[in-house]
Amino acid sequence: MIDIAMAVIIGVGVGIVVGALGAGGGILAVPALAYLLHQSPHAAATGSLVIVLATALTALPPKIRRNQVRFREGLVFGSISVIGSFVGARLSAFVDGHVLMGSFAAMLAIMSVVMLREGLKDKRDDGDLPVRRPRGMIAIIVAALGTGFLTGFFGVGGGFMVVPVLTVVLAFAMREATGTSLLIMIMASATGLLSRYGQPIDVDWVIVLGFMFGSMAGGIIGGPLSNKARTYQLTLIFATLLGIVAVATASTVAYQVLA
């Protein structure tokens, strides 16, 4: 019962982050399931996809009502990313758990630096309008495939990658990126789950469902919070979140390997 209650409480916090930032569900759910709720890394990755899918579905409608979702770009990006998601999910099962989580931490650290740089740049520009020109189609395809692969491989919704890609590669404003990322997360998470069907992964569904319902409730709360913050503040908060989770995950992996 204690683990279930903890799963619900943590889920609410994760959902708030997803609703506010359009990302963060998987990067928080995977370490929480693995290290706080005692799931194996592969089970945590699978459970995380369920949680992210449900939370994104809950958080998306308010973004649609505020015209913060660009459906055409999101559907194109998501359709391409599902290919990478399928491949990543299949390969993940063959990777050692410590290697999986260590790689996860390294990737988060890189994305934290990227988003910190973007946030500081936006702060200097002090506006919501994008200041970059969109990249070409090849860059978009490569970015979508890479995002999908990481989504399937690590069992995350991909929002932590989608938001930076939409802002840096496609020149989305931050609010549009956070809204559109939810649509892409839904597509990528669903594909990642389907790709894992039939794999011998022991998931504690009671814990996962408790986490999921808490996260869905948090997603409803988090949506309105993003409208009270300035664009560069959302970006800097996102970058800080990535950095914190990267350090915590790397520290835990190192402790387990050396113990």
Side-chain angles (χ1 to χ4, degrees):
M1 284 298 294
I2 294 177
D3 280 352
I4 296 174
M6 183 180 295
V8 173
I9 294 171
I10 296 173
V12 171
V14 170
I16 290 174
V17 173
V18 174
L21 301 179
I27 66 170
L28 295 175
V30 170
L33 288 169
Y35 301 132
L36 299 180
L37 299 171
H38 318 297
Q39 310 292 297
S40 72
H42 293 96
T46 300
S48 172
L49 288 172
V50 176
I51 293 164
V52 170
L53 175 60
T55 306
L57 285 168
T58 304
L60 182 62
K63 299 288 187 181
I64 294 175
R65 289 195 293 269
R66 297 188 186 96
N67 295 318
Q68 294 174 353
V69 179
R70 291 169 59 172
F71 277 96
R72 185 180 66 180
E73 293 92 334
L75 290 172
V76 170
F77 192 100
S79 297
I80 297 172
S81 72
V82 298
I83 301 173
S85 181
F86 181 87
V87 175
R90 285 295 177 182
L91 291 178
S92 176
F94 301 101
V95 179
D96 176 76
H98 292 313
V99 174
L100 188 69
M101 297 304 292
S103 302
F104 182 64
M107 180 188 57
L108 292 181
I110 293 171
M111 296 312 303
S112 175
V113 173
V114 171
M115 291 306 290
L116 179 63
R117 179 181 175 185
E118 292 301 312
L120 293 175
K121 182 177 181 180
D122 288 344
K123 183 179 180 180
R124 289 194 300 269
D125 295 333
D126 195 25
D128 273 354
L129 294 177
V131 295
R132 296 165 293 274
R133 297 183 61 183
R135 305 288 178 87
M137 182 56 66
I138 294 179
I140 295 172
I141 293 173
V142 171
L145 288 173
T147 300
F149 177 83
L150 296 174
T151 295
F153 189 75
F154 292 114
V156 294
F160 71 98
M161 274 289 293
V162 173
V163 172
V165 167
L166 292 181
T167 55
V168 176
V169 178
L170 300 184
F172 276 39
M174 184 62 180
R175 295 189 197 282
E176 289 181 332
T178 58
T180 306
S181 74
L182 292 171
L183 175 63
I184 298 169
M185 287 163 61
I186 290 168
M187 299 174 67
S189 298
T191 302
L193 276 174
L194 291 174
S195 302
R196 290 168 188 265
Y197 180 76
Q199 293 182 358
I201 300 173
D202 185 18
V203 178
D204 187 338
W205 288 109
V206 174
I207 294 294
V208 170
L209 291 176
F211 199 125
M212 182 190 78
F213 287 120
S215 185
M216 291 170 69
I220 296 173
I221 298 171
L225 294 179
S226 65
N227 296 316
K228 299 180 180 180
R230 306 187 73 167
T231 298
Y232 76 85
Q233 291 174 331
L234 292 176
T235 307
L236 293 176
I237 291 171
F238 188 28
T240 302
L241 176 66
L242 292 174
I244 291 173
V245 178
V247 172
T249 302
S251 300
T252 305
V253 172
Y255 174 79
Q256 290 181 340
V257 170
L258 297 175

